Amino acid sequence: MSPQDHRITLLGKPGCHLCDDARAVVERVTRDLGVEWEERDITVSPEDLAEYGEMIPVVLVDGVQHDYWRVNETRLRAALQV
């Protein structure tokens, strides 16, 4: 599987400074590796809010939780290289 075959989702909410930090890491890694990503606001989904409300930001790789609170750039790059 090449990095471009993966899908990254960043879960966050407006006004979250950790989400801003995570977004910068995700943007950098996905730009470097040519991976698509999306951002989802948990406040518009009761299900997301209930599941992730205390954990944001959360990064999903291919729909599976990868990191939360702080996104480790090295770890994210490694996950996308698999």
Side-chain angles (χ1 to χ4, degrees):
M1 180 178 267
S2 72
Q4 295 81 13
D5 294 328
H6 293 286
R7 181 73 178 165
I8 305 301
T9 304
L10 174 61
L11 304 174
K13 68 179 183 180
C16 167
H17 72 281
L18 290 177
C19 299
D20 295 338
D21 295 344
R23 185 180 307 104
V25 172
V26 169
E27 285 177 339
R28 184 171 44 251
V29 170
T30 57
R31 180 186 60 241
D32 290 352
L33 298 177
V35 178
E36 291 189 35
W37 73 284
E38 66 178 346
E39 187 166 357
R40 208 161 73 207
D41 179 353
I42 66 166
T43 65
V44 299
S45 165
E47 293 83 16
D48 282 348
L49 191 57
E51 186 167 353
Y52 300 109
E54 300 298 320
M55 300 170 65
I56 60 165
V58 175
V59 173
L60 307 176
V61 175
D62 301 326
V64 176
Q65 184 178 317
H66 175 74
D67 264 332
Y68 63 97
W69 292 333
R70 302 270 182 199
V71 179
N72 181 295
E73 183 171 344
T74 302
R75 191 170 121 75
L76 180 57
R77 285 182 186 277
L80 297 174
Q81 303 283 340
V82 176

Coordinates of all heavy atoms in Angstrom, one line a residue:
M1 N 0.9 -1.2 0.0 CA 0.0 0.0 0.0 C 0.9 1.2 0.0 O 1.8 1.3 0.8 CB -0.9 0.0 1.2 CG -1.8 1.1 1.4 SD -2.9 1.1 2.8 CE -4.3 0.3 2.1
S2 N 0.6 2.2 -0.9 CA 1.4 3.4 -0.9 C 0.8 4.4 0.0 O -0.4 4.3 0.3 CB 1.5 3.9 -2.4 OG 0.3 4.4 -2.7
P3 N 1.5 5.5 0.4 CA 1.0 6.5 1.2 C -0.3 7.1 0.7 O -1.3 7.4 1.4 CB 2.1 7.6 1.3 CG 3.3 6.8 1.1 CD 3.0 5.7 0.1
Q4 N -0.4 7.2 -0.7 CA -1.6 7.9 -1.3 C -2.8 7.0 -1.2 O -3.9 7.5 -1.4 CB -1.3 8.1 -2.8 CG -0.2 9.2 -3.0 CD 1.2 8.6 -2.9 OE1 1.4 7.4 -2.9 NE2 2.2 9.4 -2.8
D5 N -2.7 5.8 -0.8 CA -3.8 4.9 -0.6 C -4.5 5.1 0.7 O -5.6 4.6 0.9 CB -3.4 3.4 -0.8 CG -3.0 3.1 -2.2 OD1 -3.5 3.7 -3.1 OD2 -2.1 2.2 -2.3
H6 N -3.9 5.8 1.6 CA -4.5 6.1 2.9 C -5.4 7.3 2.9 O -5.3 8.1 2.1 CB -3.3 6.3 4.0 CG -2.5 5.1 4.2 ND1 -3.0 4.0 4.9 CD2 -1.3 4.7 3.8 CE1 -2.0 3.1 5.0 NE2 -1.0 3.5 4.3
R7 N -6.2 7.3 3.9 CA -7.1 8.5 4.1 C -7.0 8.9 5.6 O -7.1 8.1 6.5 CB -8.6 8.0 3.9 CG -9.6 9.2 4.0 CD -9.4 10.1 2.8 NE -10.5 11.1 3.0 CZ -10.4 12.3 2.3 NH1 -9.5 12.5 1.4 NH2 -11.4 13.1 2.4
I8 N -6.7 10.2 5.8 CA -6.5 10.8 7.1 C -7.8 11.7 7.4 O -8.2 12.5 6.6 CB -5.3 11.7 7.1 CG1 -4.1 11.0 6.7 CG2 -5.1 12.3 8.5 CD1 -3.7 9.7 7.5
T9 N -8.3 11.5 8.6 CA -9.3 12.4 9.1 C -8.9 13.0 10.4 O -8.4 12.3 11.3 CB -10.6 11.6 9.4 OG1 -11.0 10.9 8.2 CG2 -11.8 12.5 9.8
L10 N -9.0 14.3 10.5 CA -8.7 15.1 11.7 C -10.0 15.5 12.3 O -10.9 16.1 11.7 CB -7.9 16.3 11.4 CG -7.6 17.3 12.6 CD1 -6.8 16.6 13.7 CD2 -6.9 18.5 12.1
L11 N -10.3 15.0 13.6 CA -11.5 15.4 14.3 C -11.1 16.5 15.3 O -10.2 16.4 16.1 CB -12.0 14.2 15.1 CG -12.3 12.9 14.2 CD1 -12.7 11.8 15.2 CD2 -13.4 13.2 13.3
G12 N -11.9 17.5 15.3 CA -11.6 18.7 16.2 C -12.9 19.5 16.4 O -14.0 19.1 16.0
K13 N -12.7 20.7 16.9 CA -13.8 21.6 17.0 C -13.2 23.0 17.0 O -12.0 23.3 17.2 CB -14.6 21.4 18.3 CG -13.8 21.7 19.6 CD -14.7 21.4 20.8 CE -14.0 21.8 22.1 NZ -14.8 21.6 23.3
P14 N -14.1 24.0 16.7 CA -13.6 25.4 16.6 C -13.1 25.9 17.9 O -13.6 25.5 19.0 CB -14.9 26.2 16.2 CG -15.8 25.1 15.6 CD -15.5 23.8 16.3
G15 N -12.0 26.7 17.9 CA -11.4 27.3 19.1 C -10.5 26.4 19.8 O -10.1 26.7 20.9
C16 N -10.2 25.3 19.3 CA -9.3 24.3 19.9 C -7.8 24.5 19.5 O -7.5 24.3 18.4 CB -9.8 22.9 19.6 SG -8.6 21.5 20.0
H17 N -7.0 25.0 20.4 CA -5.6 25.3 20.1 C -4.8 24.0 19.8 O -3.9 24.0 18.9 CB -4.9 26.1 21.1 CG -4.6 25.4 22.4 ND1 -5.6 25.1 23.4 CD2 -3.5 24.8 22.8 CE1 -5.0 24.5 24.3 NE2 -3.7 24.3 24.0
L18 N -5.1 22.9 20.4 CA -4.5 21.7 20.1 C -4.8 21.2 18.7 O -4.0 20.6 18.0 CB -4.8 20.6 21.1 CG -4.2 20.7 22.5 CD1 -4.7 19.6 23.4 CD2 -2.7 20.8 22.5
C19 N -6.1 21.5 18.3 CA -6.5 21.1 16.9 C -5.7 21.9 15.9 O -5.4 21.4 14.8 CB -8.0 21.4 16.8 SG -9.0 20.4 17.9
D20 N -5.4 23.2 16.2 CA -4.6 24.0 15.3 C -3.2 23.4 15.1 O -2.7 23.3 14.0 CB -4.5 25.4 15.8 CG -5.8 26.2 15.8 OD1 -6.8 25.8 15.1 OD2 -5.9 27.1 16.6
D21 N -2.7 23.0 16.3 CA -1.3 22.3 16.2 C -1.4 21.0 15.4 O -0.5 20.8 14.6 CB -0.8 22.0 17.6 CG -0.6 23.3 18.5 OD1 -0.5 24.4 17.9 OD2 -0.4 23.1 19.7
A22 N -2.4 20.2 15.6 CA -2.6 18.9 14.9 C -2.8 19.2 13.4 O -2.2 18.5 12.6 CB -3.7 18.2 15.5
R23 N -3.6 20.2 13.1 CA -3.8 20.5 11.7 C -2.5 20.8 11.0 O -2.3 20.4 9.8 CB -4.8 21.7 11.6 CG -5.2 22.0 10.2 CD -6.2 23.2 10.1 NE -7.3 23.0 11.0 CZ -7.5 23.6 12.1 NH1 -6.6 24.5 12.6 NH2 -8.6 23.4 12.8
A24 N -1.6 21.6 11.6 CA -0.3 21.9 11.0 C 0.5 20.7 10.7 O 1.1 20.5 9.6 CB 0.4 22.9 11.9
V25 N 0.5 19.7 11.6 CA 1.2 18.5 11.4 C 0.6 17.7 10.3 O 1.3 17.2 9.4 CB 1.3 17.6 12.7 CG1 1.9 16.3 12.5 CG2 2.1 18.4 13.8
V26 N -0.7 17.5 10.4 CA -1.4 16.7 9.3 C -1.2 17.4 7.9 O -0.9 16.7 7.0 CB -2.9 16.6 9.7 CG1 -3.7 16.0 8.5 CG2 -3.1 15.7 10.9
E27 N -1.3 18.7 7.9 CA -1.1 19.4 6.6 C 0.3 19.1 6.0 O 0.5 18.8 4.9 CB -1.4 20.9 6.7 CG -2.8 21.2 6.8 CD -3.1 22.7 7.0 OE1 -2.2 23.4 7.5 OE2 -4.2 23.1 6.7
R28 N 1.3 19.2 6.9 CA 2.7 19.0 6.5 C 2.9 17.6 6.0 O 3.5 17.4 4.9 CB 3.6 19.4 7.6 CG 5.1 19.3 7.3 CD 6.0 19.9 8.4 NE 5.6 19.5 9.8 CZ 5.1 20.3 10.7 NH1 4.8 21.6 10.4 NH2 4.8 19.9 11.9
V29 N 2.5 16.6 6.8 CA 2.8 15.2 6.4 C 2.0 14.8 5.2 O 2.6 14.2 4.3 CB 2.4 14.3 7.6 CG1 2.4 12.8 7.2 CG2 3.3 14.5 8.8
T30 N 0.7 15.2 5.1 CA -0.1 14.8 3.9 C 0.4 15.5 2.6 O 0.4 14.9 1.6 CB -1.6 15.1 4.1 OG1 -1.8 16.4 4.4 CG2 -2.1 14.2 5.2
R31 N 0.9 16.8 2.8 CA 1.4 17.5 1.6 C 2.7 16.8 1.1 O 2.9 16.5 -0.1 CB 1.7 18.9 2.0 CG 2.3 19.7 0.8 CD 2.7 21.1 1.2 NE 3.7 21.1 2.2 CZ 3.6 21.6 3.5 NH1 2.5 22.2 3.8 NH2 4.6 21.5 4.3
D32 N 3.6 16.4 2.1 CA 4.8 15.8 1.7 C 4.6 14.4 1.1 O 5.4 14.0 0.2 CB 5.7 15.6 3.0 CG 6.3 16.9 3.5 OD1 6.1 18.0 2.8 OD2 6.9 16.9 4.6
L33 N 3.6 13.7 1.5 CA 3.4 12.3 1.0 C 2.3 12.2 0.0 O 2.1 11.1 -0.5 CB 3.1 11.4 2.2 CG 4.2 11.3 3.3 CD1 3.7 10.4 4.4 CD2 5.5 10.8 2.7
G34 N 1.6 13.3 -0.3 CA 0.6 13.2 -1.3 C -0.6 12.5 -0.9 O -1.3 11.8 -1.7
V35 N -1.0 12.6 0.4 CA -2.1 11.9 1.0 C -3.3 12.9 1.1 O -3.1 14.0 1.5 CB -1.7 11.3 2.4 CG1 -2.9 10.6 3.0 CG2 -0.6 10.3 2.2
E36 N -4.5 12.4 0.8 CA -5.7 13.2 1.0 C -6.1 13.2 2.5 O -5.9 12.2 3.2 CB -6.8 12.7 0.1 CG -6.6 13.0 -1.3 CD -7.8 12.7 -2.2 OE1 -8.9 12.9 -1.7 OE2 -7.6 12.2 -3.3
W37 N -6.7 14.3 2.9 CA -7.2 14.3 4.3 C -8.4 15.2 4.4 O -8.7 16.0 3.5 CB -6.1 14.8 5.3 CG -5.7 16.2 5.2 CD1 -5.0 16.9 4.2 CD2 -6.1 17.2 6.1 NE1 -4.9 18.2 4.5 CE2 -5.6 18.5 5.7 CE3 -6.9 17.2 7.3 CZ2 -5.8 19.7 6.4 CZ3 -7.1 18.4 8.0 CH2 -6.5 19.6 7.5
E38 N -9.1 15.0 5.4 CA -10.3 15.8 5.7 C -10.4 16.2 7.2 O -9.7 15.5 8.0 CB -11.6 15.0 5.3 CG -11.9 13.8 6.2 CD -13.2 13.1 5.9 OE1 -14.0 13.7 5.1 OE2 -13.3 12.0 6.4
E39 N -11.1 17.2 7.5 CA -11.3 17.6 8.8 C -12.8 17.6 9.1 O -13.6 18.0 8.3 CB -10.7 19.1 9.0 CG -10.7 19.5 10.5 CD -9.9 20.7 10.7 OE1 -9.3 21.3 9.8 OE2 -9.9 21.2 11.9
R40 N -13.1 17.1 10.3 CA -14.5 16.9 10.7 C -14.7 17.6 12.1 O -13.9 17.4 13.0 CB -14.8 15.4 10.9 CG -16.2 15.1 10.6 CD -16.4 13.6 10.3 NE -16.3 12.8 11.5 CZ -15.9 11.5 11.4 NH1 -15.6 11.0 10.2 NH2 -15.8 10.8 12.5
D41 N -15.7 18.5 12.2 CA -16.0 19.2 13.4 C -16.9 18.3 14.2 O -18.1 18.0 13.8 CB -16.7 20.5 13.0 CG -17.2 21.3 14.2 OD1 -17.1 20.9 15.4 OD2 -17.7 22.4 14.0
I42 N -16.5 17.9 15.4 CA -17.2 17.0 16.2 C -18.5 17.6 16.8 O -19.4 16.9 17.2 CB -16.4 16.3 17.4 CG1 -16.0 17.4 18.4 CG2 -15.2 15.6 16.8 CD1 -15.5 16.8 19.7
T43 N -18.6 18.9 16.8 CA -19.7 19.6 17.4 C -21.0 19.5 16.5 O -22.1 19.8 17.0 CB -19.5 21.1 17.7 OG1 -19.3 21.8 16.5 CG2 -18.3 21.2 18.6
V44 N -20.8 19.0 15.3 CA -22.0 18.9 14.4 C -22.6 17.5 14.4 O -23.6 17.2 13.8 CB -21.7 19.3 13.0 CG1 -21.3 20.8 12.9 CG2 -20.7 18.5 12.3
S45 N -21.9 16.6 15.2 CA -22.3 15.2 15.2 C -22.4 14.7 16.7 O -21.4 14.6 17.4 CB -21.3 14.3 14.5 OG -21.6 12.9 14.8
P46 N -23.6 14.4 17.2 CA -23.8 14.0 18.5 C -22.9 12.7 18.8 O -22.4 12.5 19.9 CB -25.3 13.7 18.7 CG -25.9 14.5 17.7 CD -24.9 14.6 16.5
E47 N -22.8 11.8 17.8 CA -22.1 10.6 17.9 C -20.6 10.9 18.1 O -19.9 10.4 19.0 CB -22.3 9.7 16.7 CG -23.7 9.1 16.6 CD -24.6 10.1 15.9 OE1 -24.2 11.1 15.3 OE2 -25.9 9.9 16.1
D48 N -20.0 11.8 17.2 CA -18.6 12.2 17.3 C -18.3 12.9 18.6 O -17.3 12.6 19.3 CB -18.2 13.1 16.2 CG -18.0 12.4 14.9 OD1 -17.9 11.1 14.9 OD2 -17.9 13.0 13.8
L49 N -19.2 13.7 19.1 CA -19.1 14.5 20.3 C -19.0 13.5 21.5 O -18.2 13.7 22.4 CB -20.2 15.5 20.5 CG -20.0 16.5 21.6 CD1 -18.7 17.3 21.4 CD2 -21.2 17.5 21.6
A50 N -19.9 12.6 21.5 CA -20.0 11.6 22.6 C -18.7 10.7 22.6 O -18.2 10.4 23.7 CB -21.2 10.7 22.5
E51 N -18.2 10.3 21.5 CA -17.1 9.4 21.4 C -15.8 10.1 21.6 O -14.9 9.6 22.2 CB -17.1 8.6 20.1 CG -16.0 7.6 20.0 CD -16.2 6.6 18.8 OE1 -17.2 6.7 18.1 OE2 -15.3 5.8 18.6
Y52 N -15.6 11.3 21.0 CA -14.3 11.9 21.0 C -14.2 13.3 21.7 O -13.2 13.9 21.8 CB -13.9 12.2 19.5 CG -13.8 11.0 18.7 CD1 -14.8 10.7 17.7 CD2 -12.8 10.0 18.8 CE1 -14.7 9.6 16.9 CE2 -12.8 8.9 18.1 CZ -13.7 8.7 17.1 OH -13.6 7.5 16.3
G53 N -15.3 13.7 22.4 CA -15.3 15.0 23.0 C -14.2 15.3 24.0 O -13.7 16.4 24.1
E54 N -13.7 14.3 24.7 CA -12.6 14.5 25.7 C -11.2 14.2 25.1 O -10.2 14.3 25.8 CB -12.9 13.6 26.9 CG -14.2 13.9 27.6 CD -14.2 15.3 28.2 OE1 -13.2 15.8 28.7 OE2 -15.3 16.0 28.1
M55 N -11.2 13.9 23.8 CA -9.9 13.4 23.3 C -9.3 14.3 22.2 O -8.2 14.1 21.7 CB -10.1 12.0 22.7 CG -10.6 11.0 23.7 SD -11.0 9.4 22.9 CE -9.5 8.9 22.2
I56 N -10.1 15.3 21.7 CA -9.7 16.0 20.5 C -8.4 16.8 20.8 O -8.1 17.2 21.9 CB -10.8 17.0 20.0 CG1 -11.1 18.0 21.1 CG2 -12.0 16.2 19.5 CD1 -11.9 19.2 20.6
P57 N -7.6 17.0 19.7 CA -7.9 16.5 18.4 C -7.6 15.0 18.3 O -6.8 14.4 19.0 CB -6.9 17.3 17.5 CG -5.7 17.5 18.4 CD -6.4 17.7 19.8
V58 N -8.3 14.3 17.4 CA -8.1 12.9 17.1 C -7.8 12.8 15.6 O -8.4 13.4 14.8 CB -9.4 12.1 17.4 CG1 -9.2 10.6 17.1 CG2 -9.7 12.2 18.9
V59 N -6.8 11.9 15.4 CA -6.4 11.6 14.0 C -6.8 10.2 13.7 O -6.4 9.3 14.5 CB -4.9 11.9 13.7 CG1 -4.5 11.4 12.3 CG2 -4.5 13.3 13.8
L60 N -7.5 10.0 12.6 CA -7.9 8.7 12.2 C -7.1 8.4 10.9 O -7.0 9.2 10.0 CB -9.4 8.6 11.8 CG -10.4 9.0 12.9 CD1 -11.8 8.9 12.4 CD2 -10.2 8.2 14.2
V61 N -6.5 7.2 10.8 CA -5.9 6.7 9.6 C -6.7 5.6 9.1 O -6.9 4.6 9.8 CB -4.4 6.3 9.9 CG1 -3.8 5.7 8.6 CG2 -3.6 7.4 10.4
D62 N -7.3 5.8 7.9 CA -8.2 4.8 7.3 C -9.3 4.4 8.2 O -9.7 3.3 8.4 CB -7.4 3.6 6.9 CG -6.3 3.9 5.9 OD1 -6.5 4.8 5.0 OD2 -5.3 3.3 5.9
G63 N -9.9 5.4 9.0 CA -11.0 5.2 9.8 C -10.7 4.6 11.2 O -11.6 4.4 12.0
V64 N -9.4 4.4 11.5 CA -9.0 3.8 12.8 C -8.2 4.9 13.6 O -7.3 5.6 13.0 CB -8.0 2.6 12.5 CG1 -7.5 2.0 13.9 CG2 -8.8 1.5 11.7
Q65 N -8.6 5.0 14.9 CA -7.9 6.0 15.7 C -6.4 5.8 15.7 O -5.9 4.7 16.0 CB -8.5 6.0 17.1 CG -7.9 7.0 18.0 CD -8.5 7.0 19.4 OE1 -9.7 6.8 19.5 NE2 -7.7 7.2 20.4
H66 N -5.7 6.8 15.4 CA -4.2 6.8 15.4 C -3.6 7.5 16.5 O -2.7 7.0 17.2 CB -3.7 7.3 14.0 CG -2.2 7.4 13.9 ND1 -1.5 6.2 13.8 CD2 -1.4 8.4 14.0 CE1 -0.2 6.6 13.7 NE2 -0.1 7.9 13.9
D67 N -4.0 8.8 16.7 CA -3.4 9.6 17.8 C -4.5 10.5 18.3 O -5.6 10.7 17.7 CB -2.3 10.6 17.2 CG -0.9 10.1 17.4 OD1 -0.7 9.3 18.4 OD2 -0.1 10.4 16.6
Y68 N -4.3 11.0 19.5 CA -5.2 12.0 20.1 C -4.4 13.0 21.0 O -3.3 12.6 21.4 CB -6.4 11.4 20.8 CG -6.1 10.6 22.0 CD1 -6.2 11.1 23.3 CD2 -5.7 9.3 21.9 CE1 -5.9 10.4 24.4 CE2 -5.5 8.5 23.0 CZ -5.5 9.1 24.3 OH -5.2 8.3 25.4
W69 N -5.0 14.1 21.2 CA -4.4 15.2 22.0 C -3.2 15.8 21.3 O -3.3 17.0 20.9 CB -4.0 14.9 23.4 CG -5.2 14.6 24.3 CD1 -6.5 15.1 24.2 CD2 -5.2 13.7 25.4 NE1 -7.3 14.6 25.2 CE2 -6.5 13.8 26.0 CE3 -4.3 13.0 26.1 CZ2 -6.9 13.0 27.1 CZ3 -4.6 12.3 27.2 CH2 -5.9 12.3 27.7
R70 N -2.2 15.1 21.1 CA -1.0 15.5 20.4 C -0.7 14.6 19.2 O -0.7 13.4 19.4 CB 0.2 15.6 21.3 CG 0.1 16.4 22.5 CD 0.5 17.8 22.3 NE 0.4 18.6 23.5 CZ 0.3 19.9 23.5 NH1 0.4 20.6 22.4 NH2 0.2 20.5 24.6
V71 N -0.4 15.2 18.1 CA -0.1 14.3 16.9 C 1.4 14.2 16.7 O 2.1 15.3 16.6 CB -0.8 14.9 15.6 CG1 -0.4 14.0 14.4 CG2 -2.3 15.0 15.8
N72 N 1.9 13.0 16.8 CA 3.3 12.8 16.6 C 3.6 12.7 15.1 O 3.2 11.7 14.5 CB 3.7 11.5 17.4 CG 5.2 11.3 17.3 OD1 5.7 11.0 16.2 ND2 5.9 11.3 18.4
E73 N 4.4 13.6 14.6 CA 4.7 13.6 13.2 C 5.4 12.4 12.7 O 5.0 11.8 11.7 CB 5.4 14.9 12.8 CG 5.7 15.0 11.3 CD 6.3 16.4 10.9 OE1 6.2 17.3 11.7 OE2 6.8 16.4 9.8
T74 N 6.4 12.0 13.4 CA 7.2 10.8 13.0 C 6.3 9.5 13.0 O 6.4 8.7 12.1 CB 8.3 10.6 14.0 OG1 9.2 11.8 14.0 CG2 9.2 9.4 13.6
R75 N 5.4 9.4 14.0 CA 4.5 8.2 14.1 C 3.5 8.3 12.9 O 3.2 7.2 12.3 CB 3.9 8.3 15.4 CG 3.1 7.0 15.8 CD 2.7 7.1 17.3 NE 1.3 7.1 17.5 CZ 0.6 6.0 17.4 NH1 1.1 4.8 17.1 NH2 -0.7 6.0 17.6
L76 N 3.0 9.5 12.6 CA 2.0 9.6 11.5 C 2.7 9.2 10.2 O 2.1 8.5 9.4 CB 1.4 11.0 11.5 CG 0.4 11.2 10.4 CD1 -0.8 10.2 10.5 CD2 -0.1 12.7 10.5
R77 N 3.9 9.7 10.0 CA 4.6 9.4 8.7 C 4.8 7.9 8.6 O 4.6 7.3 7.5 CB 5.9 10.2 8.7 CG 5.8 11.6 8.3 CD 7.2 12.3 8.3 NE 7.1 13.7 8.1 CZ 6.9 14.3 6.9 NH1 6.8 13.6 5.8 NH2 6.8 15.6 6.9
A78 N 5.2 7.3 9.7 CA 5.5 5.8 9.7 C 4.2 5.1 9.4 O 4.2 4.1 8.6 CB 6.0 5.4 11.0
A79 N 3.1 5.5 9.9 CA 1.8 4.8 9.7 C 1.4 4.9 8.2 O 0.8 4.0 7.7 CB 0.7 5.4 10.5
L80 N 1.8 6.0 7.5 CA 1.4 6.2 6.1 C 2.4 5.5 5.2 O 2.0 5.3 4.0 CB 1.3 7.7 5.8 CG 0.2 8.4 6.6 CD1 0.3 9.9 6.3 CD2 -1.1 7.9 6.3
Q81 N 3.5 5.1 5.7 CA 4.5 4.4 4.8 C 4.2 2.9 4.8 O 4.8 2.2 4.0 CB 5.9 4.6 5.4 CG 6.3 6.0 5.5 CD 6.7 6.7 4.2 OE1 7.0 6.0 3.2 NE2 6.6 8.0 4.2
V82 N 3.3 2.4 5.6 CA 3.0 0.9 5.6 C 2.1 0.6 4.5 O 1.2 1.2 4.1 CB 2.3 0.6 7.0 CG1 1.9 -0.9 7.0 CG2 3.3 0.9 8.1

